[in-house]
Amino acid sequence: MDLRTVTQSLVTLAEDNMAFFSSQGPGETARRLSGVFAGVREQALGLEPTLGHLLSVAHLFDLDAETPANGYRSLVHTARCCLVHLLHKSRYVASNRRSIFFRTSHNLAELEAYLTALTQLRALAYYAQHLLATNQPGRLFFEGDERVIADFLHEYITLHKGCFYGRCLGFQFTPAIRPFLQTVSIGLVSFGEHYKRNETGLSVTASSLFTGGRFAIDPELRGAEFERIVQNLDVHFWKTFWNITEIQVLSSLANMASATVRVSRLLSLPPITFEMPLTADPKVMVTISPPLAHTGPGPVLVRLISYDLTHPRWGEDSEELSSLGRSEGPRSLELRSRPQQAPRSRCLVVHIHGGGFVAQTSKSHEPYLKSWAQELGAPILSIDYSLAPEAPFPRALEECFYAYCWAVKHCALLGSTGERICLAGDSAGGNLCFTVSLRAAAYGVRVPDGIMAAYPATMLQATASPSRLLSLMDPLLPLSMLSKCVNAYAGGETEDHCDSDQKALGMVGLVQRDTALLFRDLRLGASSWLNSFLELSGQKSHPNSVPIAEPMRCSVSETALAQPESPLGTDSLKGLTLHDLSLRGSSETPDTPELSLSAEARGHSTPSAVNILLRPGDASEESEAGDELSTKDRVYAAFPEGFHPRRSSHDAKQVTLYSSPILKNPFMSPLLAPDSMLQTLPPVHIVACALDPMLDDSVMFARRLRSLSQPVTLRVVEDLPHGFLSLAALCQETRQAAALCVERIRLVLNPPGPPV
């Protein structure tokens, strides 16, 4: 049924049920049932016109007619799912309300929960309508005044969310996913209690996930506790919780269900400088320095996974590779030399894992990587980059780039000839795939033959988009958690401490804090490193220029720290918008690659932190800023008279979105890269989720590449959550989505030949 038919059917049933229970006397239960159906009728009638309007213009934001996907469509689909569920429940009530077996209390609780969800979805629809009216034509991300963004996010974050984490948990996803989400939610709130009682010395055990029986039998209690946790616990909680899958017991169980491979070993790449030839002129060598940002030179851990079970490939059992091996305890695999060896594969997959830049390693993603190695018949090198907040940007990028270059240079040791190389990653790993490729192009070394990015994050700047509104109800990607991960990666996680917190740190804590602050100060020069890349690109574009191997012996992070007054410092990047970059990129010539902004663009720049919730002492300042906004610009003015969504009862004063020039660095937010940089990317294959808060990142990135005539494909899977690769063995839908990712990688490794 279409949206209007669903709404009309629901309204008819709601009126019938409302009339029935109104006639049942003055009892409390009958009164509440009559009231809930009256609310369903009111919200459905108020929601339908807004959804219809969003759906009528949603096609303007699609990549193409064959890929109908964007945040507006996803929001309409989610609201329709809620309406359909209420329709089925209303039919059930109408058919069974006279039966002695009718479970009045259960049905009333479910109806009230879904009515609350429908009310909150109506608020999101109004927010989406406000974005539609405010954004530039065809843009999914808000690019206006930061004060409007702060006002918008302040309104958004204070909405009640507990209803989406209780009885309505995961209603928008395929039914096979919901039991898993329920298990995760119970585990999270149980684990949150352990974490709350012992924040500084928490010992993570699997048993801590299975002590929340009361949360399993009381969905309302679970929803309220889930909302409190996601709004107020810090990034270290999420890091610890997400890493639970790497506990020995759980990881062993996961690997028992995965494919068997001959090689799965951890390698440690020593921090040794080496040289690679330039793609444009192989006679000229460029120096690849080890990672240096924040903590100085250090090894990079990678995991080699190879499926061939009969014989090791040439190079995989070499003494040189064995010397790089790092023990993982009882799970480490030592190869024994055999007289026969399988030929090297012509392909290589370099994988970068997700985890919000703060959690997980290649071990977390090992189960599906083993399946990839089996299906693709190629070795896979997965990179274990350093994680934030201990190692913020650009450390992870430096390590991934170093490991990628090492793999290209030493592919023979990995059992590959390196004829075809694919970069693959999910979520944060997809972001790093793009930025590693951009950096390889800036250095002039070989870029991968293609990129497969699953549900990547391409816009880390504090902003709003229709798909980001879905984070209100997403148990895996709530907005507050996303902001904490971005803050940590940007280096802003340690900046918000009150005096009482400092007193509670103790001597060791103070030393750790001061060390973190020192790293933060060093980070301030990091945004200027883009200038080095662009200067190098400029030198490379001149055929008669001096070979650039010598200047590049200094790492990018060293250059940034040595040149704090770079033209691309804090102020120049602050006013950068997607529209500015698109215009600037299209007007650039190859001889003038510098990224500059007009005086007008710089004039709007005011370095600040966008606090989406007021803190003590900030109320007057924010009030004055708010007074400068006209009434029509305030988000809550978009609500019709008489409509009041539910507000959160939990204090979320810790939830802030850190606004920094570094978030607009194209090597952090590749969606903001100028056209000249994006044109250096190889063919890109994106696999996104229709119900993912990050969907608009994929759609807008694909649209930008398509506008530049860059080869790009976008496939959007339905009814699955962000992170489906880690759930590949859960159900048929996740297996099919994972197979789609393998198919995209295969297109890179074995491109179709020219038509005969």
Side-chain angles (χ1 to χ4, degrees):
M1 291 187 291
D2 61 19
L3 182 62
R4 174 156 296 184
T5 304
V6 170
T7 303
Q8 291 175 345
S9 301
L10 177 59
V11 168
T12 301
L13 282 168
E15 290 174 343
D16 178 65
N17 283 318
M18 182 174 57
F20 174 83
F21 289 109
S22 296
S23 65
Q24 297 302 299
E28 175 65 17
T29 301
R31 184 190 64 80
R32 288 174 61 185
L33 281 167
S34 177
V36 76
F37 280 112
V40 168
R41 177 185 181 278
E42 177 188 353
Q43 300 305 329
L45 288 174
L47 182 60
E48 193 269 335
T50 306
L51 295 182
H53 173 62
L54 295 177
L55 195 58
S56 68
V57 298
H59 66 280
L60 300 175
F61 302 89
D62 295 333
L63 174 64
D64 51 43
E66 288 72 35
T67 316
N70 58 69
Y72 293 114
R73 291 186 182 275
S74 299
L75 188 58
V76 172
H77 173 79
T78 303
R80 185 183 180 281
C81 286
C82 189
L83 289 168
V84 168
H85 185 91
L86 281 167
L87 177 60
H88 291 324
K89 179 57 65 174
S90 298
R91 283 175 176 166
Y92 174 83
V93 172
S95 301
N96 297 275
R97 61 197 179 194
R98 298 181 184 273
S99 172
I100 60 173
F101 300 106
F102 182 68
R103 300 168 59 194
T104 305
S105 298
H106 170 79
N107 287 285
L108 175 59
E110 186 170 355
L111 283 166
E112 288 180 335
Y114 274 90
L115 172 58
T116 303
L118 189 65
T119 304
Q120 304 305 88
L121 283 167
R122 185 180 173 189
L124 295 186
Y126 288 134
Y127 289 159
Q129 198 170 41
H130 181 79
L131 282 174
L132 188 63
T134 308
N135 283 357
Q136 298 180 15
R139 308 288 182 181
L140 288 170
F141 287 99
F142 182 79
E143 301 172 5
D145 194 313
E146 285 187 351
R147 294 171 299 175
V148 179
I149 295 178
D151 186 60
F152 181 92
L153 293 175
H154 174 269
E155 284 292 306
Y156 170 76
I157 200 65
T158 56
L159 287 176
H160 167 71
K161 312 163 193 65
C163 62
F164 295 112
Y165 305 140
R167 294 181 188 271
C168 304
L169 181 69
F171 73 93
Q172 68 272 37
F173 299 124
T174 183
I177 294 290
R178 294 171 195 169
F180 166 78
L181 294 178
Q182 184 172 4
T183 302
V184 169
S185 66
I186 294 172
L188 186 142
V189 294
S190 303
F191 184 71
E193 286 195 328
H194 288 260
Y195 187 87
K196 182 171 58 177
R197 288 196 296 266
N198 188 15
E199 285 190 89
T200 57
L202 182 64
S203 176
V204 181
T205 62
S207 62
S208 66
L209 297 179
F210 305 103
T211 58
R214 69 185 190 281
F215 297 119
I217 63 177
D218 191 340
E220 282 71 30
L221 177 63
R222 181 178 74 235
E225 182 66 8
F226 197 110
E227 181 177 8
R228 184 197 66 79
I229 286 174
V230 300
Q231 290 196 171
N232 290 311
L233 290 185
D234 59 20
V235 71
H236 299 284
F237 167 80
W238 294 104
K239 177 191 286 283
T240 307
F241 181 73
W242 284 344
N243 285 337
I244 284 176
T245 56
E246 300 193 9
I247 297 174
Q248 185 66 43
V249 175
L250 297 181
S251 63
S252 297
L253 290 174
N255 279 284
M256 286 175 60
S258 61
T260 301
V261 297
R262 174 173 175 77
V263 180
S264 178
R265 61 190 311 188
L266 196 64
L267 308 176
S268 179
L269 308 183
I272 299 175
T273 298
F274 58 89
E275 293 187 336
M276 291 183 66
L278 287 178
T279 303
D281 186 358
K283 296 180 180 179
V284 179
M285 306 299 290
V286 60
T287 300
I288 306 298
S289 299
L292 296 173
H294 303 298
T295 55
V300 179
L301 299 181
V302 296
R303 182 181 300 275
L304 175 62
I305 299 175
S306 184
Y307 173 74
D308 198 310
L309 295 177
T310 56
H311 307 291
R313 291 189 175 94
W314 281 94
E316 292 178 347
D317 61 346
S318 64
E319 293 184 5
E320 185 176 355
L321 189 67
S322 298
S323 67
L324 302 176
R326 176 164 174 165
S327 175
E328 292 185 271
R331 293 188 66 252
S332 61
L333 176 62
E334 298 298 332
L335 292 175
R336 287 187 287 233
S337 299
R338 296 187 181 185
Q340 294 181 326
Q341 290 181 317
R344 294 188 178 99
S345 169
R346 59 185 292 272
C347 304
L348 176 66
V349 177
V350 179
H351 171 261
I352 307 177
H353 68 80
F357 303 103
V358 303
Q360 301 191 340
T361 66
S362 61
K363 183 187 290 188
S364 308
H365 299 249
E366 190 178 11
Y368 73 79
L369 290 178
K370 289 181 176 180
S371 298
W372 284 11
Q374 177 183 9
E375 296 179 48
L376 295 169
I380 298 175
L381 191 74
S382 184
I383 304 171
D384 283 343
Y385 53 89
S386 297
L387 302 172
E390 294 79 10
F393 179 86
R395 183 72 189 196
L397 175 55
E398 288 190 354
E399 292 183 356
C400 291
F401 176 68
Y402 181 82
Y404 165 77
C405 291
W406 185 92
V408 173
K409 183 176 179 65
H410 300 91
C411 57
L413 294 179
L414 306 176
S416 172
T417 62
E419 293 178 47
R420 302 289 298 181
I421 297 178
C422 178
L423 261 179
D426 67 305
S427 192
N431 174 290
L432 290 167
C433 285
F434 295 137
T435 55
V436 164
S437 186
L438 291 174
R439 194 175 188 189
Y443 264 75
V445 299
R446 175 182 176 178
V447 299
D449 296 289
I451 297 174
M452 192 290 294
Y455 38 88
T458 65
M459 169 68 89
L460 302 188
Q461 180 186 351
T463 187
S465 84
S467 74
R468 297 286 170 91
L469 297 176
L470 299 175
S471 63
L472 185 81
M473 67 198 76
D474 195 312
L476 301 178
L477 284 182
L479 177 65
S480 54
M481 181 271 290
L482 289 175
S483 69
K484 289 177 175 66
C485 292
V486 172
N487 293 355
Y489 188 48
E493 180 63 24
T494 61
E495 295 190 359
D496 188 16
H497 294 285
C498 63
D499 294 338
S500 60
D501 292 336
Q502 294 177 6
K503 293 178 182 178
L505 285 175
M507 182 59 68
V508 175
L510 287 171
V511 172
Q512 293 175 340
R513 184 207 62 188
D514 292 340
T515 303
L517 291 176
L518 173 61
F519 289 160
R520 184 203 65 187
D521 294 337
L522 293 175
R523 175 185 51 78
L524 293 178
S527 63
S528 65
W529 71 330
L530 174 60
N531 187 50
S532 302
F533 282 141
L534 296 175
E535 287 179 354
L536 291 170
S537 299
Q539 293 178 16
K540 196 171 52 182
S541 65
H542 294 282
N544 298 325
S545 61
V546 180
I548 62 175
E550 189 60 33
M552 295 188 71
R553 294 184 185 275
C554 181
S555 76
V556 173
S557 55
E558 289 178 311
T559 305
L561 293 174
Q563 300 176 356
E565 302 299 327
S566 168
L568 282 178
T570 299
D571 294 333
S572 64
L573 283 172
K574 183 65 178 180
L576 206 59
T577 68
L578 181 59
H579 182 64
D580 294 332
L581 285 168
S582 180
L583 292 177
R584 175 59 182 157
S586 61
S587 63
E588 284 178 341
T589 63
D591 296 332
T592 58
E594 289 129 326
L595 183 65
S596 63
L597 297 175
S598 66
E600 295 175 299
R602 291 194 300 269
H604 295 294
S605 170
T606 53
S608 62
V610 178
N611 298 317
I612 59 178
L613 289 176
L614 301 182
R615 295 176 294 176
D618 295 340
S620 60
E621 179 181 349
E622 294 289 339
S623 177
E624 292 174 2
D627 291 339
E628 298 177 10
L629 299 175
S630 62
T631 303
K632 65 181 179 64
D633 286 332
R634 300 193 68 85
V635 176
Y636 54 74
F639 292 161
E641 184 177 356
F643 174 72
H644 302 287
R646 287 189 59 181
R647 297 292 175 180
S648 175
S649 60
H650 295 284
D651 180 20
K653 63 184 179 182
Q654 297 182 31
V655 181
T656 59
L657 286 182
Y658 182 65
S659 179
S660 166
I662 205 169
L663 294 174
K664 297 183 179 181
N665 189 319
F667 289 94
M668 177 174 273
S669 296
L671 182 60
L672 296 178
D675 293 352
S676 58
M677 292 179 66
L678 294 181
Q679 287 170 335
T680 66
L681 287 176
V684 170
H685 302 282
I686 302 175
V687 180
C689 307
L691 301 179
D692 183 2
M694 296 292 183
L695 171 63
D696 290 338
D697 295 55
S698 297
V699 175
M700 285 302 298
F701 196 71
R703 291 184 66 181
R704 283 210 64 197
L705 293 178
R706 180 71 60 83
S707 69
L708 299 173
S709 300
Q710 287 289 105
V712 58
T713 66
L714 173 64
R715 291 290 301 273
V716 182
V717 299
E718 304 290 338
D719 302 332
L720 292 180
H722 185 94
F724 65 75
L725 276 175
S726 297
L727 311 176
L730 192 61
C731 61
Q732 181 180 358
E733 290 87 349
T734 54
R735 286 193 293 271
Q736 290 174 344
L740 178 59
C741 294
V742 174
E743 176 193 322
R744 303 288 101 174
I745 296 174
R746 191 175 282 115
L747 284 178
V748 175
L749 301 181
N750 302 290
V756 179

